[in-house]
């Protein structure tokens, strides 16, 4: 082999690393562009053509990363849900199901940047979540997706507790109660124009704290 000549064999992992980095940057660019267009001119009035034009890529490239406009709009919440499940799997076995779910959801938003799921600022994540709550089509789609999340959460809780979710309904009931409180919390928070991540955490803690008393006793005013 002469000086300056190479064997033609790439360094292990180098091309793959560069390729994955480019793919990640393209996906992030599409996500950012889509959310900014949604927030500026509205979800319903934004087209895929406008999104790809903003990033200067083709529609074919867009559909490599997102199956639809709806998918890109829900990508932030999908990342939060995935982080919630990851956190739940790591919770100590000594925690009760409710405490494990509570801690997992409170950590999900704050640790999302560390998970590599997105590099968006907290403000943009907040605005994306509020957009879902204020757009009927997206809120309906998110509600449908929640069914799948509840099923996965039920399976994790049942595994933690060593029970069969098909024969023992306790895991399903616990997850249903928790999910109901979380949906209500999101709706209340979404109605607050100036609310941020801290407000979401505070509302989540407040409403989850009321679940036990609400189910176990009466608070009727004499």
């Amino acid at each position: 082999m002469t000086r300056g000549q190479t064997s033609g064999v790439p360094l292990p992992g180098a091309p793959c690393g560069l390729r994955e980095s480019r793919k990640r940057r393209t996906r992030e660019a599409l996500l950012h562009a889509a959310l900014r267009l949604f927030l500026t001119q509205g979800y319903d009035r934004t087209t895929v053509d406008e999104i790809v034009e903003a990033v200067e890529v083709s529609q074919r490239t867009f559909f490599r990363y997102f199956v639809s406009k709806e998918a890109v709009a829900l990508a932030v919440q999908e990342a939060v849900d995935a982080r919630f499940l990851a956190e739940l799997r790591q919770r100590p076995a000594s925690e009760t199901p409710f405490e494990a779910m509570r801690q997992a959801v409170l950590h999900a938003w704050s640790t999302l940047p560390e998970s590599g799921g997105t590099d968006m600022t907290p403000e943009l994540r907040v605005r994306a979540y509020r957009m879902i709550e204020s757009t009927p089509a997206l809120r309906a789609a998110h509600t449908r997706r929640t069914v799948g999340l509840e099923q996965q959460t039920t399976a994790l809780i049942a595994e933690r507790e060593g029970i069969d979710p098909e024969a023992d309904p306790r895991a399903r009931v616990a997850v249903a109660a928790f999910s109901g409180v979380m949906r209500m919390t999101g709706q209340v928070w979404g109605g607050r124009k100036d609310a941020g991540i801290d407000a979401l955490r505070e509302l989540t803690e407040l409403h989850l704290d009321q679940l036990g008393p609400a189910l176990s006793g009466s608070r009727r005013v004499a």
Side-chain angles (χ1 to χ4, degrees), residues 126-221:
V126 168
R127 294 176 69 192
Y129 190 91
R130 186 172 290 120
M131 176 190 67
I132 293 172
E133 288 295 322
S134 62
T135 306
L138 292 178
R139 189 167 63 246
H142 179 52
T143 299
R144 291 193 299 271
R145 286 188 58 260
T146 300
V147 174
L149 178 62
E150 290 177 355
Q151 291 172 343
Q152 294 179 74
T153 305
T154 297
L156 285 175
I157 293 299
E159 181 180 355
R160 283 172 53 91
E161 299 300 301
I163 61 177
D164 178 2
E166 298 301 322
D168 190 329
R170 287 178 294 174
R172 289 198 304 273
V173 171
V175 172
F178 177 83
S179 296
V181 172
M182 293 307 303
R183 280 195 294 272
M184 180 267 296
T185 299
Q187 291 168 2
V188 172
W189 175 77
R192 298 188 177 184
K193 302 301 182 184
D194 58 348
I197 292 292
D198 290 340
L200 177 59
R201 288 177 59 90
E202 290 172 6
L203 281 171
T204 299
E205 291 182 302
L206 172 65
H207 290 136
L208 289 176
D209 285 345
Q210 299 305 311
L211 184 57
L215 296 176
S216 62
S218 172
R219 293 201 170 185
R220 187 176 303 164
V221 178

Side-chain angles (χ1 to χ4, degrees), residues 7-212:
S7 63
V9 178
L11 292 174
C16 181
L18 291 173
R19 185 163 54 249
E20 290 304 315
S21 179
R22 285 196 296 268
K23 288 169 64 177
R24 183 170 60 252
R25 288 196 301 269
T26 300
R27 184 183 188 278
E28 293 290 346
L30 286 166
L31 179 56
H32 280 247
L35 289 178
R36 290 197 171 96
L37 285 169
F38 294 156
L39 293 167
T40 300
Q41 61 191 32
Y43 171 77
D44 293 328
R45 291 191 294 273
T46 300
T47 66
V48 172
D49 283 335
E50 290 174 310
I51 297 170
V52 299
E53 182 180 352
V55 185
E56 297 183 340
V57 297
S58 66
Q59 275 203 15
R60 182 178 179 182
T61 297
F62 176 91
F63 289 115
R64 285 196 193 114
Y65 298 95
F66 303 101
V67 297
S68 64
K69 186 177 75 168
E70 179 184 285
V72 71
L74 296 175
V76 174
Q77 191 56 41
E78 287 183 359
V80 174
D81 292 347
R83 191 61 188 170
F84 165 72
L85 292 173
E87 292 283 345
L88 184 57
R89 292 186 184 97
Q90 299 172 18
R91 299 311 306 171
S94 59
E95 290 181 345
T96 65
F98 272 115
E99 184 62 19
M101 288 187 286
R102 174 196 175 103
Q103 294 301 325
V105 78
L106 291 175
H107 280 83
W109 279 91
S110 59
T111 62
L112 184 59
E114 302 168 10
S115 71
T118 177
D119 67 356
M120 288 189 301
T121 63
E123 179 185 2
L124 194 56
R125 295 202 303 273
V126 168
R127 294 176 69 192
Y129 190 91
R130 186 172 290 120
M131 176 190 67
I132 293 172
E133 288 295 322
S134 62
T135 306
L138 292 178
R139 189 167 63 246
H142 179 52
T143 299
R144 291 193 299 271
R145 286 188 58 260
T146 300
V147 174
L149 178 62
E150 290 177 355
Q151 291 172 343
Q152 294 179 74
T153 305
T154 297
L156 285 175
I157 293 299
E159 181 180 355
R160 283 172 53 91
E161 299 300 301
I163 61 177
D164 178 2
E166 298 301 322
D168 190 329
R170 287 178 294 174
R172 289 198 304 273
V173 171
V175 172
F178 177 83
S179 296
V181 172
M182 293 307 303
R183 280 195 294 272
M184 180 267 296
T185 299
Q187 291 168 2
V188 172
W189 175 77
R192 298 188 177 184
K193 302 301 182 184
D194 58 348
I197 292 292
D198 290 340
L200 177 59
R201 288 177 59 90
E202 290 172 6
L203 281 171
T204 299
E205 291 182 302
L206 172 65
H207 290 136
L208 289 176
D209 285 345
Q210 299 305 311
L211 184 57

